[in-house]
Amino acid sequence: PVLPDSDGDGVTDQFDQEQTPQGCPVDTHGVSRDSDGDGVPDCKDKELVTPTYCQPVDADGVGKCPCPDSTCFEGLRFKNDCSQSLGALPSVTFKQGSIRISDDAKGLLASIGARLRNSPECKVVVVGYCSSNKREQQLSWDRVNAIINYMVEKEGLSIDRFIFSYGQDGGDCNTVDMRAAASGEEGPNTVPAPHPNLRKNK
């Protein structure tokens, strides 16, 4: 004899505990499989395995997981990621002992100015190097100061867009580097000259 199976799930009606929608896999009792126990059968679950700490789920079986710590945000780029929007910024090289900005350097600064105007939320750190003696410290300050003043006076940018950093280690004494400020990074945009009696004007 053929035993009735009204929902066609392969389990006869006398043992079937559920009228299962067509195409849904069932267990031996004729009940739709629910692998993650979230109350949404596998055949309708858009997130087949939802961790218990992400439940309850929505009608599609998709849970909302709380973020346990900051690792949830690792690798994500936000709209205010200035290192991405500004890209790698060129360095400015000065002649030995000089603080004069060359014509080539002015071209580089113009390109930086254009990028800054396109990213009004971003700041730039201007970094000068070397501080082994008073002359080096003052020369580093003069060069950083010259670049920031040029960007304000010639490129029309607000001085608030710059962070003044001079006398740093790890760079070439005749080079000033520029980089996008990290999110939340703060610093002064003007700094008193360390040895004003040694200031260079050329």
Side-chain angles (χ1 to χ4, degrees), residues 17-50:
Q17 297 179 7
E18 176 189 86
Q19 276 294 112
T20 308
Q22 191 171 7
C24 286
V26 296
D27 61 17
T28 53
H29 302 291
V31 177
S32 302
R33 284 189 190 147
D34 180 9
S35 299
D36 53 8
D38 61 2
V40 178
D42 289 357
C43 58
K44 295 181 178 178
D45 200 329
K46 291 184 178 177
E47 187 177 64
L48 205 56
V49 180
T50 306

Side-chain angles (χ1 to χ4, degrees), residues 106-134:
K106 289 175 183 177
L108 296 176
L109 294 176
S111 72
I112 295 173
R115 292 191 217 178
L116 279 168
R117 282 188 285 275
N118 289 332
S119 301
E121 75 284 359
C122 293
K123 292 184 178 183
V124 166
V125 185
V126 185
V127 186
Y129 299 99
C130 298
S131 60
S132 61
N133 57 54
K134 289 181 179 181

Side-chain angles (χ1 to χ4, degrees), residues 13 16 33 48 123 143 168 173 186:
D13 288 354
D16 200 333
R33 284 189 190 147
L48 205 56
K123 292 184 178 183
R143 287 167 169 171
Q168 301 300 312
C173 294
E186 297 292 338

Side-chain angles (χ1 to χ4, degrees), residues 6-202:
S6 55
D7 58 4
D9 62 3
V11 178
T12 56
D13 288 354
Q14 69 185 98
F15 298 114
D16 200 333
Q17 297 179 7
E18 176 189 86
Q19 276 294 112
T20 308
Q22 191 171 7
C24 286
V26 296
D27 61 17
T28 53
H29 302 291
V31 177
S32 302
R33 284 189 190 147
D34 180 9
S35 299
D36 53 8
D38 61 2
V40 178
D42 289 357
C43 58
K44 295 181 178 178
D45 200 329
K46 291 184 178 177
E47 187 177 64
L48 205 56
V49 180
T50 306
T52 51
Y53 65 85
C54 300
Q55 298 181 23
V57 297
D58 62 18
D60 293 321
V62 178
K64 187 172 183 181
C65 298
C67 185
D69 55 46
S70 61
T71 56
C72 292
F73 305 105
E74 284 180 4
L76 292 179
R77 289 191 176 276
F78 298 98
K79 287 183 178 178
N80 63 347
D81 185 349
C82 292
S83 61
Q84 183 183 27
S85 55
L86 293 179
L89 299 177
S91 301
V92 173
T93 301
F94 290 83
K95 288 184 178 178
Q96 185 75 32
S98 173
I99 65 167
R100 181 181 170 276
I101 298 173
S102 68
D103 290 340
D104 287 345
K106 289 175 183 177
L108 296 176
L109 294 176
S111 72
I112 295 173
R115 292 191 217 178
L116 279 168
R117 282 188 285 275
N118 289 332
S119 301
E121 75 284 359
C122 293
K123 292 184 178 183
V124 166
V125 185
V126 185
V127 186
Y129 299 99
C130 298
S131 60
S132 61
N133 57 54
K134 289 181 179 181
R135 286 193 178 280
E136 277 189 358
Q137 290 170 13
Q138 184 58 44
L139 192 57
S140 178
W141 183 95
D142 279 324
R143 287 167 169 171
V144 172
N145 188 59
I147 286 175
I148 292 178
N149 283 345
Y150 183 89
M151 298 301 282
V152 171
E153 294 169 10
K154 302 298 185 184
E155 292 297 321
L157 293 160
S158 167
I159 196 168
D160 295 334
R161 305 289 301 279
F162 301 94
I163 295 176
F164 198 118
S165 178
Y166 78 99
Q168 301 300 312
D169 296 325
D172 180 78
C173 294
N174 293 319
T175 298
V176 173
D177 285 334
M178 280 169 277
R179 64 172 176 80
S183 178
E185 184 175 359
E186 297 292 338
N189 47 49
T190 57
V191 175
H195 308 290
N197 57 320
L198 298 176
R199 284 194 70 177
K200 277 188 167 289
N201 296 314
K202 294 183 179 179

